Amino acid sequence: MGALYSVAEIRQAERAAAAQLPPGTLMQRAGRAAARIALGIIGAEPVAHQALVLAGPGNNGGDALEVAASLAQSGVGVTLVQLGRADAAGALNHIPAGRQWALVVDGLFGIGLARPVEGAARAMIDTVNALACPVLALDVPSGLDADSGAVIGPDGVAVRATHTITFIGDKPGLHTLAGRDHAGHVIVDRIGIDEALLPGASVHMNEPAMFGLAFAPRLHDSHKGTFGDVAVVGGAHGMAGAPILAARAALLSGAGRVFVASVDHGPAFDSGQPELMFRDAASFNFAGSTIVAGPGMGDSATAIRLLGKALDGDNPLVLDADAINLIAASPDLQARLAARTAHTILTPHPLEAARLLGVTAGVVQGDRLEAAREIAARFDACVVLKGSGTVIAMADGEALINPTGNPGLASAGTGDVLAGLCGSLLAQGWPARDAALAAVWMHGEAADRLVAEGCGPIGLTASELPAAIRRVLNRMVAERPKPAGQPQS
Ligand SMILES: NC(=O)C1=CN([C@@H]2O[C@H](COP(=O)(O)OP(=O)(O)OC[C@H]3O[C@@H](n4cnc5c(N)ncnc54)[C@H](OP(=O)(O)O)[C@@H]3O)[C@@H](O)[C@H]2O)[C@H](O)CC1
Ligand SMILES: [K+]
């Protein structure tokens, strides 16, 4: 179910399988599988179409030659361009200009790419990226790192494919960092390799099946105390909006009571959401509340004192934004975080993660899975490393990549909404792992639904997310399989 494998794991399975098969069998299977996808993209009347097939110097190129042969047998007009082998009979070593292609097949480089693409190969990729036709990448879009999702650089280029057929197993680099922008729609083809040859995956794609909807049934005999209290600690002077966004998200995703505990003298109420209760954080009694610390919290002595108090308590806790930065700057607060035993979720963006790890954001983005796992292990907490293809990691090493969401989320306040949503699920009794997986998935899904309704991605605002999340949430609860006899929730 949505397992992701490293290049090393794929290589290992490939070797084990190839050892049991006549030479070239796997490549033939890969080529035929890709040709079937190519024909599906080209559509009816294959004979009326021209396909451009790019073949690189390695086995990825070998796959491309198989695809070219299969397409030709199906009547498709094939123009084969072979990198660096002008002498091959009938092959070109450059892309003919001014032609209309029904499809480009990218077989330049796969998991063997070892360095930034340069020279003729780079020129080919630039040419392909300027075309307006569908592009089918074989195994990995050429130029992309299959493990990290980075465009291999510095200053590298990668094919922006509309489709990728990836062989043997799915790969994390197709789904995080630059992966989503370059892989397009990903199809996985095992090419007949026995599942037993693949190691147990420690990385998976996030999806509803990965997190049980841990909602308690909403009985008629309920009261607002049944569904938990959330206290958002933040709102330093001039940053009152952040905790309000987090609080609204917590309220609209089902928390019973939501407080905004302001570190400075904040607003007395939120006219847009009068259900929220505003308190002075310094005198607020946090007992029994799930705490969301960080939105607009600032770095005052009050903020630091309150953060330490939250860390030392046994309240479920979400740490976001300034809370993460304060912890990153304080070995004492780091030790107090690591010592916690109650449910804890951190929601850093790459730069906040870099501060926590004492590295650059480039290092974090160079291996997002490793960065998230390192923070989770170091602080024994659940970590949500935000970005395209958000990574959720647990202290035991489990990691998942989230597929929902879109560039509309790259706007002010969406992180506050996510933190509030995490807090709401914790307050309703969810364990940290499920709360983080569900929150990240629903946060992205809500943004995708808003875009589908024409509300974005340009100009999508954080304020629009809580109501959209509520719709996603209630639909998921309504559609989930119910054990016999469980009352309507
Ligand atoms: N082996 C199998 O049974 C199957 C393999 N599959 C396909 O094979 C690729 C992996 O093939 P591999 O040959 O290991 O590597 P690539 O084809 O991805 O490319 C590596 C070759 O390209 C050269 N290279 C690497 N980087 C660059 C660069 N920046 N510029 C130019 N050339 C580069 C490299 O040679 P060097 O010695 O110069 O490094 C290799 O020649 C896999 O992705 C699948 O598509 C199938 O899965 C079927 C089974
Ligand atoms: K490729």
Side-chain angles (χ1 to χ4, degrees):
M1 166 91 69
L4 299 171
Y5 299 95
S6 67
V7 168
E9 290 168 333
I10 293 287
R11 288 279 195 207
Q12 184 189 341
E14 193 180 273
R15 273 194 300 273
Q20 301 163 1
L21 292 164
T25 305
L26 289 177
M27 196 165 288
Q28 214 171 55
R29 290 181 188 169
R32 288 184 184 151
R36 281 194 297 277
I37 300 294
L39 286 170
I41 295 169
I42 287 174
E45 295 302 308
V47 293
H49 292 84
Q50 281 288 327
L52 171 65
V53 178
L54 306 178
N59 289 334
N60 197 243
D63 290 351
L65 297 179
E66 294 285 347
V67 177
S70 290
L71 289 179
Q73 280 162 9
S74 305
V76 176
V78 173
T79 299
L80 175 64
V81 176
Q82 284 192 258
L83 188 65
R85 277 194 288 202
D87 56 350
L92 302 170
N93 65 357
H94 65 281
I95 296 174
R99 300 275 295 274
Q100 291 299 318
W101 307 107
L103 171 72
V104 175
V105 176
D106 160 29
L108 292 174
F109 304 110
I111 58 174
L113 187 70
R115 53 195 180 279
V117 180
E118 293 161 348
R122 185 187 184 101
M124 275 189 202
I125 291 176
D126 288 338
T127 301
V128 170
N129 286 344
L131 296 174
C133 64
V135 177
L136 172 62
L138 301 182
D139 206 24
V140 186
S142 298
L144 192 78
D145 181 314
D147 283 334
S148 69
V151 173
I152 294 189
D155 184 34
V157 291
V159 165
R160 278 192 299 279
T162 53
H163 305 71
T164 294
I165 177 169
T166 199
F167 304 117
I168 300 178
D170 203 354
K171 302 164 180 79
L174 301 178
H175 304 282
T176 197
L177 197 61
R180 290 184 72 186
D181 285 326
H182 288 86
H185 174 63
V186 176
I187 301 123
V188 183
D189 195 304
R190 187 99 51 225
I191 55 173
I193 281 187
D194 182 349
E195 187 112 10
L197 292 178
L198 280 162
S202 62
V203 186
H204 289 84
M205 291 303 290
N206 188 24
E207 57 179 300
M210 297 304 285
F211 50 87
L213 278 177
F215 282 107
R218 295 232 152 182
L219 303 172
H220 292 291
D221 177 19
S222 302
H223 56 83
K224 57 182 174 297
T226 313
F227 304 114
D229 290 356
V230 172
V232 180
V233 182
H237 184 63
M239 297 192 277
I244 287 175
L245 286 166
R248 288 187 181 186
L251 185 73
L252 272 68
S253 47
R257 296 188 304 176
V258 182
F259 297 88
V260 174
S262 303
V263 295
D264 282 346
H265 296 298
F269 74 108
D270 170 7
S271 57
Q273 203 79 59
E275 300 87 348
L276 304 181
M277 293 169 274
F278 287 74
R279 298 288 185 276
D280 180 348
S283 58
F284 185 66
N285 176 2
F286 289 97
S289 292
T290 290
I291 299 172
V292 178
M297 194 166 81
D299 58 1
S300 66
T302 303
I304 293 170
R305 185 173 55 75
L306 288 167
L307 177 56
K309 194 173 149 193
L311 289 170
D312 295 345
D314 58 3
N315 312 62
L317 177 60
V318 180
L319 296 164
D320 185 39
D322 290 335
I324 293 174
N325 293 328
L326 290 173
I327 290 167
S330 161
D332 168 55
L333 292 177
Q334 288 169 38
R336 293 157 80 174
L337 169 55
R340 279 179 55 82
T341 53
H343 288 297
T344 307
I345 299 174
L346 286 82
T347 58
H349 59 53
L351 184 54
E352 289 158 350
R355 291 186 188 119
L356 270 181
L357 291 171
V359 299
T360 64
V363 166
V364 167
Q365 295 293 72
D367 191 341
R368 289 165 51 82
L369 283 168
E370 183 49 37
R373 280 169 152 158
E374 170 64 29
I375 296 171
R378 192 178 296 186
F379 298 111
D380 190 20
C382 178
V383 175
V384 173
L385 175 56
K386 296 181 286 193
S388 178
T390 288
V391 175
I392 305 102
M394 274 50 78
D396 65 1
E398 182 190 16
L400 296 96
I401 293 177
N402 187 66
T404 63
N406 62 65
L409 287 172
S411 62
T414 57
D416 301 312
V417 169
L418 178 62
L421 175 53
C422 288
S424 176
L425 299 182
L426 289 177
Q428 296 177 68
W430 291 47
R433 174 190 178 279
D434 287 5
L437 293 178
V440 170
W441 193 88
M442 292 194 286
H443 184 255
E445 174 71 8
D448 292 340
R449 300 234 158 217
L450 284 167
V451 168
E453 293 156 13
C455 178
I458 298 169
L460 191 155
T461 60
S463 304
E464 291 159 319
L465 283 172
I469 289 167
R470 178 174 58 188
R471 285 195 294 275
V472 169
L473 186 54
N474 282 285
R475 195 188 73 248
M476 290 177 72
V477 171
E479 289 171 359
R480 71 177 167 170
K482 285 181 188 51
Q486 185 181 24
Q488 291 301 320
S489 60

